[in-house]
Amino acid sequence: MVDIRTLVPDIDTDIRYAGSDNFTGTRVDGYDAAKCYLLRPAAESLAALERELRPQGLRLRIFDCYRPARAVRQFVRWAADPRDQRTKAEYYPALEKGTLVPGYIADRSGHSKGATIDLTLVRCEGPTCERCEALDMGTPFDFFDPRANTDHPHISDAQRRHRAQLVDAMSRHGFDNYPMEWWHFTYRLEPAPDVFHDVSVR
């Protein structure tokens, strides 16, 4: 796997699990650094997409890439603890915490294989794209709710266009969307990796 910044040094990242701004409310096991690692073919395709978007005033903002298996185990433990409801209002207001596995939280994540990524689109202004604002996708990242489904019927026309724009761009570069989450994409590798890694992000 490679650090995406070796290919795009100034790519926009907001690696939520390396801090407390995520649905667990704490830094997640295995995230010792806020970095994005991907298998090289996926990283190279993502870098090509970033280069394609920039002349249009658009960029990618990355939330998560390779995810250690120990992080996934922490997610499952968190979901099984009904006492911890600190983040309910922000991340799963309409659902009971115990229902999040397996629909929203998998006990084995494709992220641990190194070819899955969570991200969005941002529109940037200025000669060096210094002012960037995320496109309105209808929900935040990691919002556990049917409204996060990519084709959910009850979102605005603009939000639908933005989601379609992201899906189309990612698809052109070999990434398939997970329909339950508009931000979640997996690179089409042949053969698909079958190893779930558990090395910390450093």
mmCIF file of all heavy atoms in Angstrom, residues 162-193:
data_model
loop_
_atom_site.group_PDB
_atom_site.id
_atom_site.type_symbol
_atom_site.label_atom_id
_atom_site.label_comp_id
_atom_site.label_asym_id
_atom_site.label_seq_id
_atom_site.Cartn_x
_atom_site.Cartn_y
_atom_site.Cartn_z
ATOM 1 N N HIS A 162 -25.247 16.235 -6.957
ATOM 2 C CA HIS A 162 -23.903 16.146 -6.378
ATOM 3 C C HIS A 162 -23.500 14.697 -6.141
ATOM 4 O O HIS A 162 -22.360 14.304 -6.417
ATOM 5 C CB HIS A 162 -23.846 16.937 -5.077
ATOM 6 C CG HIS A 162 -24.029 18.409 -5.265
ATOM 7 N ND1 HIS A 162 -24.427 19.231 -4.249
ATOM 8 C CD2 HIS A 162 -23.853 19.204 -6.363
ATOM 9 C CE1 HIS A 162 -24.508 20.472 -4.706
ATOM 10 N NE2 HIS A 162 -24.168 20.475 -5.979
ATOM 11 N N ARG A 163 -24.435 13.906 -5.621
ATOM 12 C CA ARG A 163 -24.134 12.482 -5.410
ATOM 13 C C ARG A 163 -23.849 11.790 -6.735
ATOM 14 O O ARG A 163 -22.901 11.001 -6.842
ATOM 15 C CB ARG A 163 -25.292 11.797 -4.684
ATOM 16 C CG ARG A 163 -25.475 12.239 -3.247
ATOM 17 C CD ARG A 163 -26.562 11.429 -2.557
ATOM 18 N NE ARG A 163 -26.814 11.912 -1.200
ATOM 19 C CZ ARG A 163 -27.579 11.287 -0.299
ATOM 20 N NH1 ARG A 163 -28.164 10.135 -0.636
ATOM 21 N NH2 ARG A 163 -27.763 11.787 0.907
ATOM 22 N N ALA A 164 -24.668 12.086 -7.743
ATOM 23 C CA ALA A 164 -24.461 11.466 -9.056
ATOM 24 C C ALA A 164 -23.126 11.899 -9.650
ATOM 25 O O ALA A 164 -22.429 11.090 -10.287
ATOM 26 C CB ALA A 164 -25.609 11.834 -9.990
ATOM 27 N N GLN A 165 -22.757 13.145 -9.432
ATOM 28 C CA GLN A 165 -21.475 13.649 -9.926
ATOM 29 C C GLN A 165 -20.313 12.888 -9.307
ATOM 30 O O GLN A 165 -19.355 12.511 -9.995
ATOM 31 C CB GLN A 165 -21.371 15.146 -9.608
ATOM 32 C CG GLN A 165 -20.196 15.851 -10.232
ATOM 33 C CD GLN A 165 -20.232 17.349 -9.980
ATOM 34 O OE1 GLN A 165 -20.995 17.846 -9.146
ATOM 35 N NE2 GLN A 165 -19.421 18.090 -10.701
ATOM 36 N N LEU A 166 -20.391 12.631 -8.000
ATOM 37 C CA LEU A 166 -19.345 11.870 -7.316
ATOM 38 C C LEU A 166 -19.316 10.431 -7.805
ATOM 39 O O LEU A 166 -18.239 9.890 -8.114
ATOM 40 C CB LEU A 166 -19.582 11.920 -5.801
ATOM 41 C CG LEU A 166 -18.605 11.118 -4.937
ATOM 42 C CD1 LEU A 166 -17.168 11.612 -5.106
ATOM 43 C CD2 LEU A 166 -19.031 11.176 -3.468
ATOM 44 N N VAL A 167 -20.472 9.795 -7.893
ATOM 45 C CA VAL A 167 -20.536 8.397 -8.337
ATOM 46 C C VAL A 167 -19.999 8.263 -9.756
ATOM 47 O O VAL A 167 -19.219 7.349 -10.062
ATOM 48 C CB VAL A 167 -21.980 7.860 -8.238
ATOM 49 C CG1 VAL A 167 -22.100 6.500 -8.942
ATOM 50 C CG2 VAL A 167 -22.404 7.734 -6.778
ATOM 51 N N ASP A 168 -20.395 9.162 -10.651
ATOM 52 C CA ASP A 168 -19.950 9.093 -12.042
ATOM 53 C C ASP A 168 -18.434 9.273 -12.143
ATOM 54 O O ASP A 168 -17.759 8.553 -12.889
ATOM 55 C CB ASP A 168 -20.657 10.161 -12.877
ATOM 56 C CG ASP A 168 -22.132 9.868 -13.068
ATOM 57 O OD1 ASP A 168 -22.553 8.732 -12.773
ATOM 58 O OD2 ASP A 168 -22.859 10.782 -13.499
ATOM 59 N N ALA A 169 -17.910 10.249 -11.393
ATOM 60 C CA ALA A 169 -16.467 10.503 -11.444
ATOM 61 C C ALA A 169 -15.686 9.300 -10.928
ATOM 62 O O ALA A 169 -14.692 8.876 -11.542
ATOM 63 C CB ALA A 169 -16.134 11.751 -10.626
ATOM 64 N N MET A 170 -16.125 8.748 -9.818
ATOM 65 C CA MET A 170 -15.430 7.597 -9.247
ATOM 66 C C MET A 170 -15.537 6.383 -10.161
ATOM 67 O O MET A 170 -14.569 5.634 -10.340
ATOM 68 C CB MET A 170 -15.982 7.293 -7.865
ATOM 69 C CG MET A 170 -15.709 8.366 -6.820
ATOM 70 S SD MET A 170 -13.957 8.550 -6.413
ATOM 71 C CE MET A 170 -13.717 7.085 -5.374
ATOM 72 N N SER A 171 -16.707 6.186 -10.760
ATOM 73 C CA SER A 171 -16.903 5.031 -11.646
ATOM 74 C C SER A 171 -15.984 5.102 -12.857
ATOM 75 O O SER A 171 -15.434 4.081 -13.281
ATOM 76 C CB SER A 171 -18.367 4.962 -12.085
ATOM 77 O OG SER A 171 -18.582 3.856 -12.929
ATOM 78 N N ARG A 172 -15.791 6.293 -13.412
ATOM 79 C CA ARG A 172 -14.899 6.446 -14.571
ATOM 80 C C ARG A 172 -13.478 6.012 -14.245
ATOM 81 O O ARG A 172 -12.720 5.621 -15.139
ATOM 82 C CB ARG A 172 -14.880 7.906 -15.038
ATOM 83 C CG ARG A 172 -16.110 8.363 -15.753
ATOM 84 C CD ARG A 172 -15.834 9.646 -16.535
ATOM 85 N NE ARG A 172 -15.236 10.702 -15.736
ATOM 86 C CZ ARG A 172 -15.930 11.577 -15.003
ATOM 87 N NH1 ARG A 172 -17.254 11.486 -14.972
ATOM 88 N NH2 ARG A 172 -15.307 12.521 -14.319
ATOM 89 N N HIS A 173 -13.130 6.063 -12.970
ATOM 90 C CA HIS A 173 -11.768 5.703 -12.559
ATOM 91 C C HIS A 173 -11.715 4.377 -11.808
ATOM 92 O O HIS A 173 -10.755 4.115 -11.091
ATOM 93 C CB HIS A 173 -11.166 6.846 -11.741
ATOM 94 C CG HIS A 173 -10.821 8.029 -12.586
ATOM 95 N ND1 HIS A 173 -9.573 8.223 -13.128
ATOM 96 C CD2 HIS A 173 -11.591 9.051 -13.047
ATOM 97 C CE1 HIS A 173 -9.578 9.319 -13.847
ATOM 98 N NE2 HIS A 173 -10.785 9.845 -13.829
ATOM 99 N N GLY A 174 -12.754 3.558 -11.976
ATOM 100 C CA GLY A 174 -12.684 2.178 -11.517
ATOM 101 C C GLY A 174 -13.223 1.896 -10.134
ATOM 102 O O GLY A 174 -12.996 0.802 -9.608
ATOM 103 N N PHE A 175 -13.978 2.828 -9.550
ATOM 104 C CA PHE A 175 -14.504 2.643 -8.198
ATOM 105 C C PHE A 175 -16.022 2.449 -8.237
ATOM 106 O O PHE A 175 -16.731 3.209 -8.897
ATOM 107 C CB PHE A 175 -14.200 3.859 -7.320
ATOM 108 C CG PHE A 175 -12.756 4.029 -6.963
ATOM 109 C CD1 PHE A 175 -11.887 4.696 -7.823
ATOM 110 C CD2 PHE A 175 -12.260 3.545 -5.756
ATOM 111 C CE1 PHE A 175 -10.546 4.874 -7.490
ATOM 112 C CE2 PHE A 175 -10.919 3.712 -5.420
ATOM 113 C CZ PHE A 175 -10.062 4.382 -6.288
ATOM 114 N N ASP A 176 -16.513 1.447 -7.504
ATOM 115 C CA ASP A 176 -17.949 1.186 -7.394
ATOM 116 C C ASP A 176 -18.479 1.709 -6.072
ATOM 117 O O ASP A 176 -17.859 1.540 -5.018
ATOM 118 C CB ASP A 176 -18.234 -0.313 -7.477
ATOM 119 C CG ASP A 176 -17.941 -0.887 -8.854
ATOM 120 O OD1 ASP A 176 -18.137 -0.155 -9.854
ATOM 121 O OD2 ASP A 176 -17.511 -2.050 -8.932
ATOM 122 N N ASN A 177 -19.661 2.318 -6.116
ATOM 123 C CA ASN A 177 -20.296 2.861 -4.921
ATOM 124 C C ASN A 177 -21.054 1.779 -4.153
ATOM 125 O O ASN A 177 -21.642 0.874 -4.743
ATOM 126 C CB ASN A 177 -21.256 3.981 -5.321
ATOM 127 C CG ASN A 177 -22.052 4.536 -4.160
ATOM 128 O OD1 ASN A 177 -23.282 4.438 -4.140
ATOM 129 N ND2 ASN A 177 -21.376 5.116 -3.186
ATOM 130 N N TYR A 178 -21.025 1.885 -2.811
ATOM 131 C CA TYR A 178 -21.844 1.052 -1.934
ATOM 132 C C TYR A 178 -23.170 1.782 -1.761
ATOM 133 O O TYR A 178 -23.204 2.888 -1.195
ATOM 134 C CB TYR A 178 -21.134 0.870 -0.596
ATOM 135 C CG TYR A 178 -21.922 0.153 0.472
ATOM 136 C CD1 TYR A 178 -22.524 -1.074 0.220
ATOM 137 C CD2 TYR A 178 -22.042 0.701 1.752
ATOM 138 C CE1 TYR A 178 -23.231 -1.739 1.207
ATOM 139 C CE2 TYR A 178 -22.751 0.046 2.750
ATOM 140 C CZ TYR A 178 -23.339 -1.176 2.471
ATOM 141 O OH TYR A 178 -24.052 -1.828 3.454
ATOM 142 N N PRO A 179 -24.304 1.221 -2.230
ATOM 143 C CA PRO A 179 -25.551 1.981 -2.313
ATOM 144 C C PRO A 179 -26.096 2.502 -0.981
ATOM 145 O O PRO A 179 -26.871 3.459 -0.982
ATOM 146 C CB PRO A 179 -26.534 0.977 -2.943
ATOM 147 C CG PRO A 179 -25.678 0.004 -3.671
ATOM 148 C CD PRO A 179 -24.425 -0.113 -2.866
ATOM 149 N N MET A 180 -25.691 1.924 0.141
ATOM 150 C CA MET A 180 -26.209 2.404 1.423
ATOM 151 C C MET A 180 -25.501 3.663 1.908
ATOM 152 O O MET A 180 -25.991 4.333 2.825
ATOM 153 C CB MET A 180 -26.106 1.315 2.491
ATOM 154 C CG MET A 180 -27.113 0.197 2.328
ATOM 155 S SD MET A 180 -27.134 -0.944 3.723
ATOM 156 C CE MET A 180 -27.817 0.090 5.026
ATOM 157 N N GLU A 181 -24.356 3.996 1.288
ATOM 158 C CA GLU A 181 -23.568 5.137 1.751
ATOM 159 C C GLU A 181 -23.027 5.905 0.545
ATOM 160 O O GLU A 181 -22.176 5.380 -0.189
ATOM 161 C CB GLU A 181 -22.407 4.666 2.630
ATOM 162 C CG GLU A 181 -22.867 3.945 3.890
ATOM 163 C CD GLU A 181 -21.723 3.327 4.690
ATOM 164 O OE1 GLU A 181 -20.611 3.169 4.128
ATOM 165 O OE2 GLU A 181 -21.950 3.000 5.867
ATOM 166 N N TRP A 182 -23.458 7.122 0.359
ATOM 167 C CA TRP A 182 -23.055 7.876 -0.833
ATOM 168 C C TRP A 182 -21.546 8.127 -0.893
ATOM 169 O O TRP A 182 -20.992 8.350 -1.965
ATOM 170 C CB TRP A 182 -23.817 9.204 -0.915
ATOM 171 C CG TRP A 182 -23.620 10.131 0.260
ATOM 172 C CD1 TRP A 182 -24.477 10.314 1.305
ATOM 173 C CD2 TRP A 182 -22.499 10.998 0.508
ATOM 174 N NE1 TRP A 182 -23.963 11.243 2.198
ATOM 175 C CE2 TRP A 182 -22.750 11.681 1.729
ATOM 176 C CE3 TRP A 182 -21.319 11.266 -0.179
ATOM 177 C CZ2 TRP A 182 -21.856 12.605 2.275
ATOM 178 C CZ3 TRP A 182 -20.420 12.185 0.356
ATOM 179 C CH2 TRP A 182 -20.693 12.854 1.560
ATOM 180 N N TRP A 183 -20.852 8.061 0.242
ATOM 181 C CA TRP A 183 -19.413 8.397 0.319
ATOM 182 C C TRP A 183 -18.493 7.192 0.139
ATOM 183 O O TRP A 183 -17.286 7.353 0.075
ATOM 184 C CB TRP A 183 -19.109 9.017 1.688
ATOM 185 C CG TRP A 183 -19.510 8.121 2.837
ATOM 186 C CD1 TRP A 183 -18.799 7.056 3.353
ATOM 187 C CD2 TRP A 183 -20.719 8.182 3.602
ATOM 188 N NE1 TRP A 183 -19.494 6.458 4.378
ATOM 189 C CE2 TRP A 183 -20.685 7.139 4.553
ATOM 190 C CE3 TRP A 183 -21.828 9.030 3.575
ATOM 191 C CZ2 TRP A 183 -21.715 6.911 5.468
ATOM 192 C CZ3 TRP A 183 -22.856 8.796 4.478
ATOM 193 C CH2 TRP A 183 -22.795 7.767 5.405
ATOM 194 N N HIS A 184 -19.024 5.982 0.042
ATOM 195 C CA HIS A 184 -18.254 4.732 0.174
ATOM 196 C C HIS A 184 -18.021 4.110 -1.202
ATOM 197 O O HIS A 184 -18.974 3.795 -1.923
ATOM 198 C CB HIS A 184 -19.066 3.793 1.078
ATOM 199 C CG HIS A 184 -18.434 2.472 1.348
ATOM 200 N ND1 HIS A 184 -18.150 2.038 2.612
ATOM 201 C CD2 HIS A 184 -18.068 1.455 0.524
ATOM 202 C CE1 HIS A 184 -17.635 0.819 2.568
ATOM 203 N NE2 HIS A 184 -17.575 0.450 1.295
ATOM 204 N N PHE A 185 -16.738 3.885 -1.562
ATOM 205 C CA PHE A 185 -16.394 3.347 -2.876
ATOM 206 C C PHE A 185 -15.294 2.297 -2.746
ATOM 207 O O PHE A 185 -14.399 2.422 -1.914
ATOM 208 C CB PHE A 185 -15.898 4.473 -3.793
ATOM 209 C CG PHE A 185 -16.944 5.487 -4.123
ATOM 210 C CD1 PHE A 185 -17.184 6.563 -3.267
ATOM 211 C CD2 PHE A 185 -17.706 5.373 -5.274
ATOM 212 C CE1 PHE A 185 -18.162 7.502 -3.557
ATOM 213 C CE2 PHE A 185 -18.684 6.306 -5.573
ATOM 214 C CZ PHE A 185 -18.913 7.368 -4.708
ATOM 215 N N THR A 186 -15.358 1.280 -3.612
ATOM 216 C CA THR A 186 -14.341 0.232 -3.642
ATOM 217 C C THR A 186 -13.787 0.105 -5.055
ATOM 218 O O THR A 186 -14.541 0.051 -6.032
ATOM 219 C CB THR A 186 -14.923 -1.113 -3.180
ATOM 220 O OG1 THR A 186 -15.359 -0.989 -1.818
ATOM 221 C CG2 THR A 186 -13.875 -2.220 -3.261
ATOM 222 N N TYR A 187 -12.474 0.047 -5.156
ATOM 223 C CA TYR A 187 -11.814 -0.054 -6.451
ATOM 224 C C TYR A 187 -11.977 -1.461 -7.015
ATOM 225 O O TYR A 187 -11.853 -2.459 -6.297
ATOM 226 C CB TYR A 187 -10.328 0.279 -6.308
ATOM 227 C CG TYR A 187 -9.607 0.402 -7.621
ATOM 228 C CD1 TYR A 187 -9.914 1.429 -8.505
ATOM 229 C CD2 TYR A 187 -8.630 -0.513 -7.991
ATOM 230 C CE1 TYR A 187 -9.254 1.551 -9.724
ATOM 231 C CE2 TYR A 187 -7.963 -0.398 -9.196
ATOM 232 C CZ TYR A 187 -8.290 0.634 -10.062
ATOM 233 O OH TYR A 187 -7.648 0.744 -11.263
ATOM 234 N N ARG A 188 -12.228 -1.527 -8.308
ATOM 235 C CA ARG A 188 -12.428 -2.819 -8.980
ATOM 236 C C ARG A 188 -11.075 -3.431 -9.306
ATOM 237 O O ARG A 188 -10.467 -3.130 -10.345
ATOM 238 C CB ARG A 188 -13.251 -2.628 -10.258
ATOM 239 C CG ARG A 188 -14.654 -2.114 -10.010
ATOM 240 C CD ARG A 188 -15.503 -2.129 -11.270
ATOM 241 N NE ARG A 188 -15.102 -1.137 -12.246
ATOM 242 C CZ ARG A 188 -15.577 0.097 -12.315
ATOM 243 N NH1 ARG A 188 -16.472 0.511 -11.439
ATOM 244 N NH2 ARG A 188 -15.173 0.937 -13.258
ATOM 245 N N LEU A 189 -10.595 -4.285 -8.421
ATOM 246 C CA LEU A 189 -9.318 -4.968 -8.607
ATOM 247 C C LEU A 189 -9.552 -6.384 -9.113
ATOM 248 O O LEU A 189 -10.485 -7.060 -8.664
ATOM 249 C CB LEU A 189 -8.544 -5.039 -7.287
ATOM 250 C CG LEU A 189 -7.844 -3.760 -6.818
ATOM 251 C CD1 LEU A 189 -7.417 -3.926 -5.374
ATOM 252 C CD2 LEU A 189 -6.637 -3.461 -7.690
ATOM 253 N N GLU A 190 -8.713 -6.843 -10.001
ATOM 254 C CA GLU A 190 -8.766 -8.219 -10.492
ATOM 255 C C GLU A 190 -7.394 -8.860 -10.319
ATOM 256 O O GLU A 190 -6.417 -8.408 -10.910
ATOM 257 C CB GLU A 190 -9.177 -8.251 -11.966
ATOM 258 C CG GLU A 190 -10.564 -7.737 -12.234
ATOM 259 C CD GLU A 190 -11.666 -8.614 -11.651
ATOM 260 O OE1 GLU A 190 -11.372 -9.779 -11.316
ATOM 261 O OE2 GLU A 190 -12.796 -8.129 -11.526
ATOM 262 N N PRO A 191 -7.281 -9.904 -9.491
ATOM 263 C CA PRO A 191 -8.339 -10.432 -8.635
ATOM 264 C C PRO A 191 -8.546 -9.553 -7.409
ATOM 265 O O PRO A 191 -7.649 -8.816 -7.009
ATOM 266 C CB PRO A 191 -7.787 -11.810 -8.229
ATOM 267 C CG PRO A 191 -6.304 -11.603 -8.234
ATOM 268 C CD PRO A 191 -6.019 -10.651 -9.372
ATOM 269 N N ALA A 192 -9.731 -9.651 -6.834
ATOM 270 C CA ALA A 192 -10.025 -8.866 -5.635
ATOM 271 C C ALA A 192 -9.175 -9.370 -4.474
ATOM 272 O O ALA A 192 -8.955 -10.573 -4.326
ATOM 273 C CB ALA A 192 -11.508 -8.989 -5.290
ATOM 274 N N PRO A 193 -8.663 -8.459 -3.635
ATOM 275 C CA PRO A 193 -7.869 -8.901 -2.480
ATOM 276 C C PRO A 193 -8.726 -9.665 -1.490
ATOM 277 O O PRO A 193 -9.919 -9.399 -1.340
ATOM 278 C CB PRO A 193 -7.363 -7.587 -1.880
ATOM 279 C CG PRO A 193 -8.329 -6.549 -2.361
ATOM 280 C CD PRO A 193 -8.799 -7.004 -3.702
#
